[in-house]
Structures are given as structure tokens and as C-alpha cells.
């Protein structure tokens, strides 16, 4: 099949590369000319384990191509994925300007029937808005469907090639047939394609991420209570994780969740509930607890140094929001670094993938000493976080 993927962030690039790996002809579209030129030259713009090998193989074999031209990218495409940013607005709602902007541009460019897929995480009702935006100037038949991604950064390639499930929101039998054909190579082991209406598919993505955020936050609350009562949260994790109703994953206590998904998706779902006059109180609690949890270690550091870290050197291991990625969006480490710098501490940091991204941050990048390895960060350090 011939596919177009609009947007080459984590989701777009993984989607395009993996579908090329299953034999499709894929053109990725991005407005960033420098980024497109790098990808044409074989330089992958993100770090994701296993992606570079597939990227190079499929670009070398001509199945994966890149362009800045939307018209060129969608020419002849049966399926067009919209994998565009949906950053949170000031009120927490997902900003749809990029998706709706491309949707308006698509209308007059469509030359034959195509399935347009919302791959980005979008609020309930977005498929209808995208359909209306395209229809303003479209002269051919098309379908707009929801196909949310459930990729975990660090194992995104494996998640894509061996999905637990594929969720597709559409009421069109024609679109269903196209999607069954597209995903057939990925579901041969019996993992299901779950069809539902568009609004339910959009809500499924938010429900999944919000539930995981709740699970993480609950364990962090348990850990905080354990500190006061003298219990061991790791023993508790093992004790409850073997319960099949609970499961072992997302039970590790820490300094809160970050990244590109959980923070904005919890905010967006909470905003949707407000828009529909529903008090989704558990989500408000999750956001409040998580914000406090990010700097949970700062009081311990201050207490150890008698309330003053001015002139102290604090080593930091880990800058990305999780292992095996260079993504620093909403990374808890950055909240700690900003607070420590504000209190006069010197920071020495190491991360195997994310140091360049942190170095480019205008407010703190030039104030951090980055080291060649983890142990070098400990030289002359007064504390390690």
C-alpha cells in the first residue's frame, strides 16, 4: 500500500518506518526542511532503540522517503496518517491547530478516495472536526478515522510491530477493510483489532494513559506514607503486584511521571470533563500529587546539608523522563535541577542520550556541567541524585 505520514516526531517516524518495514511505500511529510534533509541523508532525528536499523534499511531500499511538500507526500496515498503535535493550551486542553491546519490543506489536494487517520492523541470529537475541515474544499470521497497509538518510548518499535491491540474508530465499512489490510502483518499472532466508533477510540487513548498515571501516582502516595510508618514500598509492590487484578507494571515508586503523554493527556481529559460539566476529581488529585512528587527529594537534600546547598556540587544521574530515550519533556530531573540551581548549587549531570537536549535549554543548559560518563559526575560531588 502507499501511505503518507504527516509529522515526523516519535509517533510519526516510528509509524512510517515500521509500516515501510512491512512492505508499504511510505512518504513522511514535515515542514522542517533541515530535519527532512537530515533524514534524507540517513540521520535519524530521535533516539529510539531499534529504530535506526529499520530506518536505514527502508530508506536504502526506497520504501521510506521524506518531503516538505504535503501535495507530493500524499500523491497516490490510500492512507494518510496525521501524527502532529497536540500541545497543551493554557487551560490544559489539547491544541488542535496543527491537525486542523493540515486538514484544511488536505481538502483541495485529495485526488482519490483516502482514509485519513488521526494518529495523534486528540480529544473526543476531533475526528468530526477534521472531517469538516477537509470537507470544506474536498471534491472526492474520504473517511476520517481514529487510530490512537499506544507506544512506549524506549520500546516503541517493539510495541508497534507486536501490538497488544490495535484500536480503530470508524463507522465506515470501506475504511475498516483498508485498515484490516494495513494491519494484517502486525496481528498474525492473534492480537486483536478492536473496532469502535470514533469518539470511543479517542476516549480509549486518554482513558489508558490516565489510568496508568493514576496507578503511578497511587504508588507514590503509598511510598510517601511508607516513609512515615516505617514500611518498605518495594516489598509492598511485590506483595500487591502478584495479584492478577492489579498486575506488576507501573508499581515502582519514584519522583512522578513526565514525558510527552501522561502530563498533557491527564490535563486534556480533565479539561474535557470540565467542558462537559463533570467533576473528574481523581484526575485533579493525580495532577496535584504528581506536581509535588517531582521535587520530593529536595527537602531530603536540604535537610542533610542543614538547609543550605549554596556552593555544593550535586551530581545528577538521568535527565530524560525515563530510560532508553532522549525525550526530556516534563522530565522530573529538570524540576530538581532548576530548584537546586536557584538555591545556589552546582550541577554535574550525566545521561547516555539526553544531555544534548538539556544543553540546548535556554534557562539551565549553560549552567550545568555535563560529564562523559556516570562516574565522572561523582568527582568532587557532595551528593548524588
Amino acid at each position: 500500500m502507499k501511505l503518507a505520514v504527516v509529522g515526523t516526531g516519535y509517533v510519526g517516524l516510528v509509524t512510517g518506518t515500521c509500516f515501510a518495514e512491512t512492505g508499504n511505500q511510505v512518504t513522511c511529510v514535515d515542514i522542517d526542511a533541515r530535519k527532512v534533509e537530515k533524514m534524507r541523508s540517513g540521520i535519524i532525528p530521535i533516539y529510539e532503540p531499534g529504530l535506526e536499523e529499520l530506518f536505514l534499511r527502508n530508506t536504502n531500499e526506497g520504501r521510506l522517503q521524506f518531503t516538505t511538500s504535503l501535495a507530493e507526500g500524499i500523491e497516490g496515498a490510500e492512507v494518510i496518517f496525521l501524527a502532529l503535535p497536540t500541545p497543551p493550551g493554557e487551560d490544559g486542553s489539547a491544541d488542535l491547530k496543527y491537525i486542523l491546519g493540515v486538514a484544511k490543506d488536505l481538502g483541495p489536494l485529495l485526488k482519490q478516495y483516502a482514509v485519513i487517520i488521526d494518529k495523534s492523541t486528540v480529544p473526543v470529537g476531533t475526528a468530526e472536526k477534521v472531517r469538516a475541515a477537509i470537507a470544506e474544499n474536498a471534491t472526492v470521497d474520504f473517511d476520517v478515522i481514529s487510530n490512537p497509538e499506544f507506544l512506549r518510548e524506549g520500546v516503541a518499535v517493539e510495541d508497534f510491530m507486536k501490538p497488544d491491540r490495535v484500536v480503530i474508530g470508524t463507522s465506515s465499512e470501506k475504511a475498516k477493510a483498508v485498515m484490516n489490510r494495513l494491519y494484517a502483518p502486525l496481528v498474525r499472532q492473534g492480537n486483536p483489532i478492536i473496532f469502535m466508533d470514533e469518539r470511543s477510540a479517542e476516549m480509549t487513548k486518554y482513558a489508558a494513559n490516565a489510568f496508568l498515571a493514576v496507578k503511578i501516582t497511587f504508588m507514590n502516595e503509598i511510598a510517601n506514607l511508607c516513609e512515615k510508618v516505617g514500611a518498605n514500598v518495594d516489598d509492598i509492590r511485590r506483595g500487591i503486584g502478584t495479584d492478577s487484578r492489579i498486575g506488576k507494571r507501573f508499581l515502582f515508586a519514584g519522583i512522578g511521571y513526565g514525558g510527552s503523554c501522561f502530563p498533557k493527556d491527564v490535563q486534556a481529559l480533565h479539561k474535557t470533563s470540565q467542558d462537559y460539566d463533570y467533576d473528574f476529581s481523581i484526575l485533579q488529585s493525580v495532577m496535584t500529587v504528581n506536581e509535588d512528587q517531582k521535587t520530593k527529594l529536595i527537602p531530603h537534600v536540604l535537610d542533610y546539608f542543614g538547609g543550605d546547598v549554596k556552593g555544593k556540587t550535586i551530581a545528577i544521574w538521568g535527565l530524560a523522563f525515563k530510560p532508553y530515550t532522549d525525550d526530556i519533556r516534563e522530565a522530573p530531573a529538570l524540576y530538581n535541577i532548576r530548584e537546586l540551581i536557584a538555591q545556589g548549587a552546582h550541577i554535574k549531570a550525566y545521561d547516555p542520550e539526553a544531555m544534548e537536549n538539556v544543553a540546548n535549554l535556554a534557562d539551565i543548559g549553560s549552567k550545568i556541567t555535563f560529564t562523559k560518563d556516570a562516574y565522572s559526575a561523582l568527582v568532587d560531588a557532595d551528593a548524588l541524585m
Side-chain angles (χ1 to χ4, degrees), residues 119-272:
K119 197 67 175 171
S120 307
T121 302
V122 293
V124 172
T126 299
E128 296 159 24
K129 294 178 181 179
V130 170
R131 186 178 297 112
I134 296 172
E136 287 181 11
N137 297 297
T139 57
V140 298
D141 188 25
F142 65 92
D143 280 309
V144 175
I145 74 172
S146 175
N147 175 214
E149 53 83 18
F150 298 97
L151 306 178
R152 297 167 295 161
E153 289 185 35
V155 287
V157 172
E158 181 179 352
D159 283 348
F160 196 98
M161 302 300 282
K162 299 177 181 179
D164 291 331
R165 77 290 199 200
V166 176
V167 172
I168 297 172
T170 182
S171 53
S172 164
E173 292 301 321
K174 191 174 183 179
K176 284 183 183 179
V178 172
M179 297 307 287
N180 269 321
R181 185 156 53 98
L182 177 63
Y183 274 105
L186 304 180
V187 295
R188 288 177 294 184
Q189 296 177 326
N191 29 348
I193 298 179
I194 304 171
F195 286 102
M196 59 186 72
D197 64 87
E198 294 90 340
R199 285 184 166 236
S200 295
E202 291 164 342
M203 181 61 85
T204 296
K205 169 66 176 183
Y206 280 112
N209 279 356
F211 183 81
L212 295 174
V214 170
K215 197 173 181 182
I216 292 167
T217 304
F218 177 81
M219 283 307 293
N220 286 337
E221 288 273 70
I222 290 293
N224 294 341
L225 183 58
C226 282
E227 287 186 358
K228 294 183 178 295
V229 303
N232 186 324
V233 70
D234 282 323
D235 289 340
I236 294 164
R237 170 178 56 81
R238 291 191 292 270
I240 67 174
T242 48
D243 187 326
S244 61
R245 297 169 301 173
I246 296 173
K248 298 178 181 179
R249 298 173 64 180
F250 288 87
L251 294 181
F252 287 86
I255 55 171
Y257 58 77
S260 61
C261 294
F262 287 0
K264 74 177 183 64
D265 291 355
V266 171
Q267 287 179 17
L269 185 56
H270 185 257
K271 179 60 169 61
T272 296

Side-chain angles (χ1 to χ4, degrees), residues 349-365:
Y350 174 75
D351 186 290
E353 301 298 339
M355 289 192 292
E356 182 178 350
N357 289 342
V358 175
N360 289 329
L361 294 176
D363 62 330
I364 60 173

